[in-house]
Coordinates of all heavy atoms in Angstrom, one line a residue:
I218 N 110.3 105.7 138.3 CA 111.1 106.5 137.4 C 112.3 105.7 136.8 O 112.7 105.8 135.7 CB 111.6 107.8 138.1 CG1 110.4 108.7 138.5 CG2 112.6 108.5 137.3 CD1 110.8 109.9 139.2
S219 N 112.9 104.9 137.7 CA 114.1 104.1 137.3 C 113.8 103.2 136.2 O 114.6 103.0 135.2 CB 114.6 103.4 138.5 OG 115.7 102.5 138.1
R220 N 112.6 102.6 136.2 CA 112.2 101.6 135.1 C 112.1 102.3 133.8 O 112.5 101.8 132.7 CB 110.9 100.9 135.5 CG 111.1 100.1 136.7 CD 110.0 99.0 136.8 NE 110.1 98.2 138.0 CZ 109.5 97.0 138.2 NH1 108.8 96.5 137.2 NH2 109.7 96.4 139.3
F221 N 111.6 103.5 133.8 CA 111.4 104.2 132.5 C 112.8 104.8 132.0 O 113.1 104.8 130.8 CB 110.4 105.4 132.7 CG 109.0 105.0 132.7 CD1 108.4 104.6 133.8 CD2 108.3 104.9 131.5 CE1 107.1 104.2 133.8 CE2 107.0 104.5 131.4 CZ 106.4 104.1 132.6
E222 N 113.6 105.2 133.0 CA 115.0 105.6 132.6 C 115.8 104.5 132.1 O 116.5 104.7 131.1 CB 115.7 106.3 133.8 CG 115.1 107.6 134.2 CD 115.9 108.2 135.4 OE1 116.3 107.4 136.3 OE2 116.0 109.5 135.5
K223 N 115.7 103.3 132.7 CA 116.5 102.2 132.2 C 116.1 101.7 130.8 O 116.8 101.2 130.0 CB 116.4 101.0 133.2 CG 117.1 101.3 134.5 CD 116.9 100.1 135.5 CE 117.7 100.4 136.8 NZ 117.4 99.3 137.8
K224 N 114.8 101.9 130.5 CA 114.3 101.6 129.2 C 114.9 102.5 128.1 O 115.0 102.2 127.0 CB 112.7 101.7 129.2 CG 112.1 101.3 127.9 CD 112.3 99.9 127.6 CE 111.5 99.5 126.3 NZ 111.7 98.1 125.9
G225 N 115.2 103.7 128.5 CA 115.8 104.7 127.6 C 114.9 105.8 127.2 O 115.3 106.6 126.3
F226 N 113.8 106.0 127.8 CA 112.9 107.1 127.5 C 113.4 108.4 128.1 O 114.1 108.4 129.1 CB 111.5 106.8 127.9 CG 110.9 105.6 127.2 CD1 110.2 104.6 127.9 CD2 111.0 105.6 125.8 CE1 109.7 103.5 127.2 CE2 110.4 104.5 125.1 CZ 109.8 103.5 125.8
K227 N 113.0 109.5 127.6 CA 113.4 110.8 128.0 C 112.3 111.5 128.9 O 111.2 111.7 128.4 CB 113.8 111.7 126.8 CG 114.3 113.1 127.2 CD 114.8 113.9 126.0 CE 113.7 114.3 125.1 NZ 114.1 115.2 124.1
L228 N 112.7 111.9 130.1 CA 111.8 112.6 131.0 C 111.8 114.1 130.6 O 112.9 114.7 130.7 CB 112.3 112.4 132.4 CG 111.4 113.0 133.5 CD1 110.0 112.4 133.6 CD2 112.1 112.9 134.9
T229 N 110.6 114.6 130.3 CA 110.6 116.0 129.9 C 109.8 116.9 130.9 O 109.8 118.1 130.8 CB 109.9 116.2 128.5 OG1 108.6 115.6 128.5 CG2 110.7 115.5 127.4
G230 N 109.1 116.2 131.8 CA 108.3 116.9 132.8 C 108.1 116.1 134.1 O 107.9 114.9 134.0
L231 N 108.2 116.7 135.2 CA 108.1 116.0 136.5 C 107.7 117.0 137.6 O 108.3 118.1 137.8 CB 109.5 115.4 136.9 CG 109.6 114.7 138.2 CD1 108.7 113.5 138.3 CD2 111.1 114.3 138.5
K232 N 106.7 116.6 138.4 CA 106.3 117.5 139.5 C 105.4 116.7 140.5 O 104.7 115.7 140.1 CB 105.6 118.7 139.0 CG 104.2 118.5 138.4 CD 103.6 119.8 138.0 CE 102.2 119.6 137.3 NZ 101.6 120.8 136.9
L233 N 105.5 117.0 141.8 CA 104.6 116.5 142.8 C 103.4 117.5 142.9 O 103.6 118.7 142.9 CB 105.3 116.5 144.1 CG 104.6 115.9 145.3 CD1 104.3 114.4 145.1 CD2 105.3 116.2 146.6
F234 N 102.2 116.9 142.8 CA 101.0 117.8 142.6 C 99.8 117.2 143.4 O 99.6 116.0 143.4 CB 100.7 117.8 141.1 CG 99.6 118.7 140.7 CD1 99.8 120.1 140.8 CD2 98.4 118.2 140.3 CE1 98.8 121.0 140.4 CE2 97.4 119.1 139.9 CZ 97.6 120.4 139.9
Q235 N 99.1 118.1 144.0 CA 97.9 117.8 144.6 C 96.7 118.0 143.7 O 96.4 119.2 143.3 CB 97.6 118.6 145.9 CG 96.3 118.3 146.6 CD 96.3 116.9 147.2 OE1 97.2 116.5 147.9 NE2 95.2 116.2 146.9
C236 N 96.1 117.0 143.2 CA 95.1 117.1 142.2 C 93.7 117.6 142.8 O 93.3 117.1 143.8 CB 94.9 115.7 141.5 SG 93.6 115.6 140.3
S237 N 93.1 118.5 142.1 CA 91.8 119.0 142.5 C 90.7 118.1 141.9 O 91.0 117.3 141.0 CB 91.6 120.4 141.9 OG 91.5 120.4 140.5
K238 N 89.5 118.2 142.5 CA 88.4 117.3 142.0 C 88.0 117.7 140.6 O 87.8 116.7 139.8 CB 87.2 117.6 142.9 CG 86.0 116.7 142.6 CD 84.8 116.9 143.5 CE 83.6 116.1 143.2 NZ 82.5 116.3 144.1
E239 N 88.1 118.9 140.2 CA 87.7 119.3 138.8 C 88.7 118.7 137.8 O 88.3 118.2 136.8 CB 87.7 120.8 138.7 CG 86.6 121.5 139.5 CD 86.9 121.6 141.0 OE1 88.0 121.4 141.4 OE2 85.9 121.8 141.8
L240 N 90.0 118.8 138.2 CA 91.0 118.2 137.2 C 90.8 116.7 137.1 O 91.0 116.1 136.0 CB 92.4 118.6 137.7 CG 93.6 118.1 136.9 CD1 93.5 118.5 135.5 CD2 94.9 118.5 137.5
A241 N 90.6 116.1 138.2 CA 90.4 114.6 138.2 C 89.2 114.2 137.4 O 89.2 113.2 136.6 CB 90.3 114.1 139.7
E242 N 88.1 115.0 137.5 CA 86.9 114.7 136.7 C 87.2 114.9 135.2 O 86.6 114.1 134.4 CB 85.7 115.5 137.2 CG 85.2 115.1 138.6 CD 84.1 116.0 139.1 OE1 84.0 117.2 138.5 OE2 83.5 115.7 140.1
E243 N 87.9 115.9 134.9 CA 88.3 116.1 133.5 C 89.2 115.0 132.9 O 89.0 114.6 131.8 CB 88.9 117.5 133.3 CG 89.4 117.8 131.9 CD 88.2 117.9 130.9 OE1 87.1 118.2 131.4 OE2 88.5 117.8 129.7
H244 N 90.1 114.6 133.7 CA 91.0 113.6 133.3 C 90.3 112.2 133.0 O 90.6 111.6 132.1 CB 92.1 113.4 134.4 CG 93.1 112.3 134.1 ND1 94.1 112.4 133.2 CD2 93.2 111.0 134.5 CE1 94.8 111.3 133.1 NE2 94.3 110.4 133.9
Y245 N 89.4 111.9 133.9 CA 88.7 110.6 133.8 C 87.2 110.8 133.3 O 86.4 110.0 133.6 CB 88.6 109.9 135.2 CG 89.9 109.4 135.7 CD1 90.6 110.0 136.8 CD2 90.5 108.3 135.1 CE1 91.8 109.5 137.2 CE2 91.7 107.8 135.5 CZ 92.3 108.4 136.6 OH 93.5 107.8 137.1
K246 N 87.0 111.8 132.4 CA 85.7 112.1 131.9 C 85.1 111.0 131.1 O 83.9 110.8 131.1 CB 85.7 113.4 131.1 CG 86.5 113.3 129.9 CD 86.5 114.7 129.1 CE 87.3 114.6 127.8 NZ 87.2 115.9 127.1
D247 N 85.9 110.1 130.5 CA 85.4 109.0 129.7 C 84.8 107.9 130.6 O 84.0 107.1 130.1 CB 86.5 108.4 128.9 CG 87.0 109.3 127.8 OD1 86.3 110.2 127.5 OD2 88.1 109.1 127.3
L248 N 85.0 108.0 131.9 CA 84.5 107.0 132.9 C 83.4 107.6 133.8 O 83.0 106.9 134.7 CB 85.7 106.5 133.7 CG 86.9 105.9 133.0 CD1 88.0 105.5 134.0 CD2 86.4 104.6 132.2
N249 N 82.9 108.7 133.4 CA 82.0 109.4 134.4 C 80.6 108.7 134.5 O 79.8 109.0 135.4 CB 81.8 110.9 134.0 CG 81.2 111.0 132.6 OD1 80.9 110.1 131.9 ND2 81.2 112.3 132.1
Q250 N 80.3 107.7 133.6 CA 79.1 107.0 133.6 C 79.3 105.7 134.4 O 78.3 104.9 134.6 CB 78.6 106.7 132.2 CG 78.3 108.0 131.4 CD 77.2 108.8 132.1 OE1 76.2 108.3 132.6 NE2 77.4 110.1 132.0
K251 N 80.5 105.4 134.8 CA 80.7 104.1 135.5 C 80.3 104.3 137.0 O 80.4 105.3 137.6 CB 82.2 103.7 135.4 CG 82.7 103.6 134.0 CD 82.1 102.3 133.3 CE 82.7 102.1 131.9 NZ 82.1 100.9 131.3
S252 N 79.9 103.1 137.6 CA 79.5 103.2 139.0 C 80.6 103.5 139.9 O 80.4 104.0 141.0 CB 78.9 101.8 139.3 OG 79.8 100.8 139.1
F253 N 81.9 103.2 139.5 CA 83.0 103.4 140.4 C 83.6 104.8 140.3 O 84.6 105.1 140.9 CB 84.1 102.3 140.2 CG 84.6 102.3 138.7 CD1 85.5 103.2 138.3 CD2 84.1 101.4 137.9 CE1 86.0 103.2 137.0 CE2 84.6 101.3 136.5 CZ 85.5 102.2 136.1
F254 N 83.0 105.6 139.4 CA 83.6 106.9 139.2 C 83.8 107.8 140.4 O 84.8 108.4 140.6 CB 82.7 107.7 138.1 CG 83.3 109.0 137.7 CD1 84.4 109.1 136.9 CD2 82.7 110.2 138.1 CE1 84.9 110.3 136.5 CE2 83.2 111.4 137.7 CZ 84.3 111.5 136.9
P255 N 82.8 107.9 141.3 CA 83.0 108.7 142.5 C 84.1 108.2 143.4 O 84.9 109.0 143.9 CB 81.6 108.6 143.2 CG 80.6 108.3 142.2 CD 81.4 107.4 141.2
K256 N 84.2 106.9 143.5 CA 85.3 106.4 144.3 C 86.7 106.6 143.7 O 87.7 106.9 144.3 CB 85.1 104.9 144.5 CG 84.0 104.5 145.4 CD 83.9 103.0 145.6 CE 85.2 102.4 146.3 NZ 85.1 101.0 146.5
L257 N 86.7 106.6 142.3 CA 88.0 106.9 141.6 C 88.4 108.3 141.8 O 89.6 108.6 142.1 CB 87.7 106.6 140.1 CG 88.9 106.9 139.2 CD1 90.1 106.1 139.5 CD2 88.5 106.7 137.7
I258 N 87.5 109.3 141.8 CA 87.8 110.7 142.0 C 88.3 110.9 143.5 O 89.3 111.6 143.7 CB 86.6 111.6 141.7 CG1 86.1 111.4 140.3 CG2 86.9 113.0 142.0 CD1 87.2 111.7 139.2
D259 N 87.6 110.2 144.4 CA 88.1 110.4 145.8 C 89.5 109.8 146.0 O 90.3 110.4 146.7 CB 87.1 109.6 146.7 CG 85.8 110.3 146.8 OD1 85.7 111.5 146.5 OD2 84.8 109.7 147.2
Y260 N 89.8 108.7 145.3 CA 91.1 108.1 145.4 C 92.2 108.9 144.8 O 93.2 109.1 145.4 CB 91.0 106.7 144.6 CG 92.3 106.1 144.2 CD1 93.3 105.9 145.1 CD2 92.5 105.7 142.9 CE1 94.5 105.3 144.8 CE2 93.7 105.1 142.5 CZ 94.7 104.9 143.4 OH 95.9 104.3 143.1
I261 N 92.0 109.5 143.6 CA 93.0 110.3 143.0 C 93.3 111.6 143.7 O 94.4 112.1 143.7 CB 92.6 110.6 141.5 CG1 92.6 109.3 140.7 CG2 93.6 111.6 140.9 CD1 94.0 108.6 140.6
T262 N 92.3 112.1 144.4 CA 92.4 113.4 145.1 C 92.8 113.2 146.6 O 92.9 114.2 147.4 CB 91.1 114.2 145.0 OG1 90.0 113.5 145.5 CG2 90.8 114.6 143.6
S263 N 93.0 112.0 147.0 CA 93.2 111.7 148.4 C 94.6 112.0 148.9 O 94.9 112.1 150.1 CB 93.0 110.2 148.7 OG 93.9 109.4 148.0
G264 N 95.5 112.3 148.0 CA 96.9 112.6 148.4 C 97.7 113.1 147.1 O 97.1 113.1 146.0
P265 N 98.9 113.5 147.3 CA 99.7 114.0 146.1 C 100.0 112.9 145.1 O 100.1 111.8 145.5 CB 100.9 114.6 146.8 CG 101.1 113.8 148.1 CD 99.7 113.6 148.5
V266 N 100.1 113.4 143.9 CA 100.4 112.5 142.8 C 101.7 113.0 142.2 O 102.1 114.2 142.4 CB 99.3 112.3 141.7 CG1 98.1 111.7 142.3 CG2 99.1 113.7 141.1
V267 N 102.4 112.1 141.5 CA 103.6 112.6 140.8 C 103.3 112.6 139.3 O 103.0 111.5 138.7 CB 104.8 111.7 141.1 CG1 106.0 112.0 140.1 CG2 105.3 111.9 142.5
C268 N 103.4 113.7 138.6 CA 103.0 113.9 137.2 C 104.3 113.8 136.4 O 105.3 114.5 136.7 CB 102.3 115.2 137.0 SG 100.9 115.5 138.0
M269 N 104.3 113.0 135.3 CA 105.5 112.9 134.5 C 105.1 112.9 133.0 O 104.1 112.3 132.6 CB 106.2 111.6 134.8 CG 106.9 111.5 136.2 SD 107.8 110.0 136.5 CE 106.4 108.8 136.7
A270 N 106.0 113.5 132.2 CA 105.8 113.5 130.8 C 107.1 112.8 130.2 O 108.2 113.2 130.5 CB 105.7 114.9 130.2
W271 N 106.9 111.8 129.5 CA 108.0 111.0 128.9 C 107.9 111.0 127.4 O 106.8 111.1 126.8 CB 107.9 109.5 129.4 CG 108.3 109.4 130.8 CD1 107.4 109.4 131.9 CD2 109.6 109.1 131.4 NE1 108.0 109.2 133.1 CE2 109.4 109.0 132.8 CE3 110.8 109.0 130.9 CZ2 110.4 108.8 133.7 CZ3 111.9 108.8 131.7 CH2 111.7 108.7 133.1
E272 N 109.1 110.9 126.7 CA 109.1 111.0 125.3 C 110.1 109.9 124.8 O 111.1 109.6 125.4 CB 109.7 112.4 124.9 CG 109.8 112.7 123.4 CD 110.4 114.1 123.2 OE1 109.6 115.1 123.4 OE2 111.5 114.2 122.7
G273 N 109.7 109.4 123.6 CA 110.6 108.4 123.0 C 109.9 107.7 121.8 O 108.7 107.9 121.6
V274 N 110.6 106.9 121.1 CA 110.0 106.1 120.0 C 109.2 105.0 120.5 O 109.6 104.2 121.3 CB 111.2 105.5 119.1 CG1 110.6 104.6 118.0 CG2 112.0 106.6 118.5
G275 N 107.9 105.0 120.2 CA 106.9 104.0 120.6 C 106.7 104.1 122.1 O 106.4 103.0 122.7
V276 N 106.9 105.2 122.7 CA 106.8 105.3 124.2 C 105.5 104.9 124.8 O 105.4 104.4 125.9 CB 107.2 106.7 124.7 CG1 106.2 107.8 124.2 CG2 107.4 106.8 126.2
V277 N 104.4 105.2 124.1 CA 103.0 104.9 124.6 C 102.8 103.4 124.7 O 102.5 102.9 125.8 CB 101.9 105.5 123.7 CG1 100.6 105.1 124.2 CG2 102.0 107.1 123.7
A278 N 103.1 102.7 123.6 CA 102.9 101.2 123.6 C 103.9 100.6 124.6 O 103.5 99.6 125.3 CB 103.1 100.7 122.2
S279 N 105.1 101.0 124.6 CA 106.1 100.4 125.5 C 105.8 100.7 126.9 O 106.0 99.8 127.8 CB 107.5 101.0 125.1 OG 108.5 100.3 125.8
A280 N 105.3 101.9 127.2 CA 105.0 102.2 128.6 C 103.8 101.4 129.1 O 103.8 100.9 130.3 CB 104.6 103.7 128.7
R281 N 102.9 101.1 128.2 CA 101.8 100.2 128.6 C 102.3 98.8 129.0 O 101.7 98.2 129.9 CB 100.7 100.1 127.5 CG 100.1 101.4 127.1 CD 99.1 102.0 128.1 NE 97.9 101.2 128.1 CZ 96.9 101.4 128.9 NH1 96.9 102.5 129.7 NH2 95.8 100.7 128.9
K282 N 103.3 98.4 128.3 CA 103.9 97.0 128.6 C 104.6 97.1 129.9 O 104.6 96.1 130.7 CB 104.8 96.6 127.5 CG 104.0 96.3 126.2 CD 105.0 95.8 125.1 CE 104.3 95.4 123.8 NZ 105.2 95.0 122.8
L283 N 105.3 98.2 130.2 CA 106.1 98.3 131.4 C 105.1 98.4 132.6 O 105.4 97.8 133.7 CB 106.9 99.6 131.4 CG 108.2 99.6 130.5 CD1 108.8 101.0 130.5 CD2 109.2 98.6 131.0

Side-chain angles (χ1 to χ4, degrees):
I218 293 177
S219 176
R220 296 201 182 198
F221 283 87
E222 287 182 328
K223 289 177 180 178
K224 182 67 177 179
F226 296 130
K227 181 173 71 174
L228 181 64
T229 58
L231 174 66
K232 66 179 179 180
L233 184 69
F234 184 71
Q235 179 64 52
C236 178
S237 66
K238 182 178 180 180
E239 292 74 20
L240 179 58
E242 289 176 346
E243 177 64 22
H244 178 79
Y245 289 109
K246 64 180 181 180
D247 293 340
L248 303 175
N249 59 7
Q250 299 300 320
K251 302 293 185 179
S252 58
F253 58 80
F254 183 73
K256 290 182 61 177
L257 176 61
I258 300 303
D259 291 340
Y260 161 53
I261 293 298
T262 58
S263 62
V266 297
V267 171
C268 310
M269 293 182 284
W271 290 89
E272 183 180 288
V274 176
V276 66
V277 174
S279 187
R281 300 287 290 182
K282 291 182 179 180
L283 287 175

